[in-house]
Amino acid sequence: MSQLVEPKIYEGKDLETIFFRPMFVGKDAQDLGIKVMYNMPVPTTLNFWRGGTDILQKYAGGWSGGGASDKFQKSIALSKVKAEMGYSASDYFTMVFEQIAARPDVNLDDLSGTELEEAETALFRDALRESIRATMWIGNTKRTNGKFDTFDGLLTQFYNEMAADTTEVKVSSISSVDYDATEGGETILKKTWNQADIKLKELKSQGQLVFFVTSDIYSKYEESLDNASLDTAYVARQTGRPELLWRGIPVVDMQVSGYIQTLGDSTMPKSWCILTDRRNVALAVNTASFPGTEIRMWYNPDEMQNRQRAVFAAGCDYLLPEFVSCLVKM
């Protein structure tokens, strides 16, 4: 057997349970580091609730009433998108077979259709997940070279907000002196924190603040930790660190530096350090409210090619600009 020719179409509930829900709930959603809203009612609304604070009143009979909790809302614009991949028949079978061969419980002499289907699904799902994740950060609908242009990513939206005269995003540039310093990574994190709005800093106790950084800043901060004259730093230098923290706030590598370098986009800063609340930013994916959403995998005999296609809607946004503090370097 050297070809996979059985067509597969997923719609409705199968589309949700087999493909998208495994990507956007549970650990996979947590790995994105932001709020994920999957198949929420359209228009999809990002909410941030803040309970009232000054609610105590002098005691008196009757009902004195009170103000409602602060509520902030913003609709996330969803764009209908598609993803397509094509492989030569021999390459495709090899890739799918490799997915199966890595499992210890599979009889390679008696492969069932279910096992092949699961391997095909995993292959396409992994590619979809990474494409959505990268676009969530660096997407730009005005980019003319066709790279990550299906919907505006968070970095594009932050940068557009920075350029506005009425911006509430706290932003400044990373100087070459700070960037090249031995303790440059820590200096950048500290400056991002120092310029943040006091309301954002006050959310630290709730455990939802996070630094999103590009790989170069992540490495610089880790190097500064290696320079500490402690036994624990020596051990961590050899074994690595499962995660980095700055004053208890997670430092997360966005893992988009490689993509930014190949974009050919002069308006996109190469280095980013962003402090925000995870609840303030969200990715929305919808496979239930738009006509024509589907996953299709088929074999084209004329081209001797296996093809995969996904049609769905996606978008991302942030709610409160004052809850975003950025340092950038072109």
Side-chain angles (χ1 to χ4, degrees):
M1 182 180 185
S2 61
Q3 292 181 353
L4 295 172
V5 299
E6 188 69 25
K8 301 167 188 67
I9 302 174
Y10 301 96
E11 299 174 311
K13 200 65 177 177
D14 287 342
L15 179 64
E16 175 180 340
T17 57
I18 295 175
F19 264 89
F20 283 92
R21 185 161 291 278
M23 287 193 284
F24 298 118
V25 297
K27 185 179 183 303
D28 283 344
Q30 295 170 11
D31 289 343
L32 290 175
I34 70 172
K35 186 175 183 178
V36 179
M37 307 176 74
Y38 177 61
N39 272 358
M40 298 295 288
V42 176
T44 302
T45 303
L46 176 59
N47 300 287
F48 196 104
W49 295 84
R50 190 162 53 197
T53 52
D54 187 14
I55 62 173
L56 294 181
Q57 303 179 32
K58 293 181 179 180
Y59 179 78
W63 169 256
S64 301
S69 299
D70 291 334
K71 178 180 67 173
F72 304 94
Q73 292 182 317
K74 186 178 184 180
S75 293
I76 299 178
L78 296 179
S79 301
K80 195 170 182 179
V81 301
K82 70 173 182 176
E84 294 179 333
M85 301 181 68
Y87 307 89
S88 71
S90 58
D91 290 344
Y92 187 70
F93 179 78
T94 300
M95 295 169 70
V96 172
F97 190 83
E98 184 179 351
Q99 293 260 351
I100 300 173
R103 290 168 43 192
D105 59 335
V106 173
N107 181 0
L108 297 179
D109 295 324
D110 184 25
L111 292 177
S112 69
T114 300
E115 289 165 340
L116 291 170
E117 183 175 345
E118 288 176 352
E120 279 189 273
T121 298
L123 179 67
F124 194 26
R125 189 167 53 216
D126 290 345
L128 269 177
R129 179 191 297 113
E130 178 58 14
S131 184
I132 294 171
R133 187 197 70 82
T135 306
M136 174 190 77
W137 288 115
I138 63 174
N140 188 339
T141 56
K142 295 181 180 179
R143 197 172 289 133
T144 58
N145 59 9
K147 296 181 178 180
F148 299 102
D149 62 350
T150 51
F151 59 90
D152 284 339
L154 293 169
L155 298 188
T156 297
Q157 295 182 48
F158 291 152
Y159 196 71
N160 291 342
E161 184 73 29
M162 295 172 200
D165 293 336
T166 58
T167 180
E168 295 182 80
V169 171
K170 306 296 183 181
V171 59
S172 59
S173 298
I174 302 172
S175 69
S176 297
V177 174
D178 287 341
Y179 186 82
D180 296 331
T182 303
E183 303 297 322
E186 185 167 4
T187 300
I188 291 169
L189 295 174
K190 185 176 181 180
K191 286 192 172 184
T192 306
W193 169 266
N194 287 343
Q195 75 174 9
D197 192 290
I198 186 63
K199 291 182 288 186
L200 177 60
K201 293 179 180 179
E202 289 174 346
L203 296 177
K204 181 182 177 183
S205 61
Q206 298 182 21
Q208 296 293 327
L209 294 190
V210 61
F211 285 101
F212 291 117
V213 300
T214 45
S215 299
D216 56 329
I217 295 176
Y218 187 92
S219 296
K220 284 179 177 293
Y221 180 52
E222 189 166 26
E223 288 173 6
S224 69
L225 297 178
D226 290 341
N227 293 331
S229 300
L230 299 170
D231 290 342
T232 52
Y234 175 75
V235 172
R237 194 181 309 167
Q238 299 179 75
T239 61
R241 299 172 176 86
E243 67 173 343
L244 301 186
L245 301 171
W246 183 84
R247 297 183 182 176
I249 302 173
V251 180
V252 177
D253 185 352
M254 292 183 286
Q255 300 180 22
V256 294
S257 295
Y259 296 128
I260 291 176
Q261 291 175 6
T262 61
L263 281 179
D265 187 346
S266 59
T267 64
M268 176 69 71
K270 303 300 185 290
S271 299
W272 288 80
C273 180
I274 302 165
L275 173 66
T276 189
D277 188 293
R278 294 182 191 270
R279 298 165 295 184
N280 191 44
V281 288
L283 168 70
V285 177
N286 194 294
T287 60
S289 303
F290 293 83
T293 55
E294 66 171 10
I295 295 284
R296 184 183 296 264
M297 297 184 286
W298 74 99
Y299 176 68
N300 186 308
D302 295 335
E303 301 291 338
M304 298 181 65
Q305 188 180 63
N306 284 89
R307 296 177 175 177
Q308 301 171 323
R309 175 185 291 147
V311 180
F312 57 98
C316 62
D317 213 329
Y318 65 98
L319 182 54
L320 300 173
E322 64 268 29
F323 281 12
V324 180
S325 175
C326 291
L327 257 67
V328 297
K329 189 177 192 300
M330 300 299 290

